[in-house]
Amino acid sequence: MGIPVMVDIRTALPQRELTPLLDDAFGWLTWVGETLAPEMERFSGGQTIEQIPELIEIQHRCNELFESTGGWFDRGDHDAYIRGWAVERLSRALTNAGAVDHRIDAGGDVRVRGSAAPGRQWRIGVRDPQQGTMRTVLIARDLAVATVGHVTVSGADLGVAGAYASAMHRMDLARARRFADRLPYRTVIVTPDGTQEYGGALQLAV
């Protein structure tokens, strides 16, 4: 979908297992970018699309997120969800293949599992969208983190986190605050004046 993707596997695997694993990973991402993303574009434009099972799943989930956000997640702007959905599927596949310690970064949206090193959790930076400086570091072993503009959402599923971040980015600040407080996901909102606000209980390091 025109974004850089980095797959960082920290599980000690022999090269004969690691190479095909990474080949499969990027093959999956390529298929999503070349097949699913264009079909979703056609769907958004009102055209007939192929009945691919994965595509039906994405449509159904986007409809649910449209409803749960009161229409603030725009089904026509599906990239925030489909990118996270693809990374979630990839993360589960890596785990099932034995690569239980990994980090996937897709254009700044991050999915981590396991450990960065023995006894050390992953550290995920949250940057100020205006200054580019580091504002917060999230520390976790199993976390999805998506950022859209001034909103960063973290939780169990990267597709959902991306959709929530996209929805809140469209809201005014007061509405975004209220929405964040109701979510099972956790949020960091950097306001226009540079103030940092939180919704939910975050595990932080600075």
Side-chain angles (χ1 to χ4, degrees):
M1 293 181 287
I3 59 171
V5 178
M6 181 185 71
V7 179
D8 182 359
I9 297 175
R10 299 294 178 89
T11 306
L13 295 174
Q15 194 66 39
R16 67 178 182 277
E17 294 181 20
L18 189 59
T19 297
L21 193 60
L22 288 172
D23 287 344
D24 288 346
F26 285 102
W28 159 252
L29 294 172
T30 298
W31 181 77
V32 171
E34 292 181 350
T35 304
L36 294 189
E39 286 296 316
M40 282 300 292
E41 288 290 343
R42 283 190 278 274
F43 174 72
S44 299
Q47 301 178 44
T48 302
I49 59 173
E50 295 185 38
Q51 294 301 299
I52 303 171
E54 291 86 351
L55 197 59
I56 296 171
E57 176 188 340
I58 291 168
Q59 289 175 287
H60 178 68
R61 198 70 184 97
C62 285
N63 287 338
E64 289 180 340
L65 289 163
F66 176 82
E67 296 295 333
S68 67
T69 61
W72 286 96
F73 172 66
D74 186 351
R75 285 171 290 192
D77 181 21
H78 56 268
D79 285 352
Y81 178 74
I82 194 172
R83 178 168 62 247
W85 174 88
V87 170
E88 277 294 329
R89 291 280 293 259
L90 174 55
S91 180
R92 290 197 296 269
L94 290 175
T95 299
N96 291 338
V100 295
D101 308 295
H102 60 261
R103 173 186 175 122
I104 307 171
D105 186 321
D109 289 351
V110 177
R111 186 63 166 99
V112 298
R113 290 187 194 270
S115 302
R120 184 160 62 88
Q121 298 184 71
W122 293 99
R123 299 170 65 88
I124 307 165
V126 177
R127 295 187 177 276
D128 186 308
Q130 299 177 14
Q131 304 296 326
T133 55
M134 192 71 69
R135 298 299 299 264
T136 295
V137 177
L138 309 181
I139 301 174
R141 295 186 185 279
D142 187 350
L143 193 66
V145 182
T147 299
V148 178
H150 63 279
V151 181
T152 296
V153 178
S154 60
D157 183 280
L158 189 57
V160 175
Y164 285 154
S166 178
M168 280 188 279
H169 180 60
R170 290 189 170 90
M171 300 175 187
D172 60 75
L173 182 57
R175 190 186 298 272
R177 287 169 176 157
R178 293 193 299 271
F179 185 80
D181 287 341
R182 299 196 305 268
L183 288 180
Y185 283 57
R186 297 162 290 182
T187 66
V188 178
I189 301 174
V190 179
T191 62
D193 64 1
T195 304
Q196 197 165 293
E197 302 188 0
Y198 304 100
L202 286 166
Q203 182 180 7
L204 305 175
V206 294

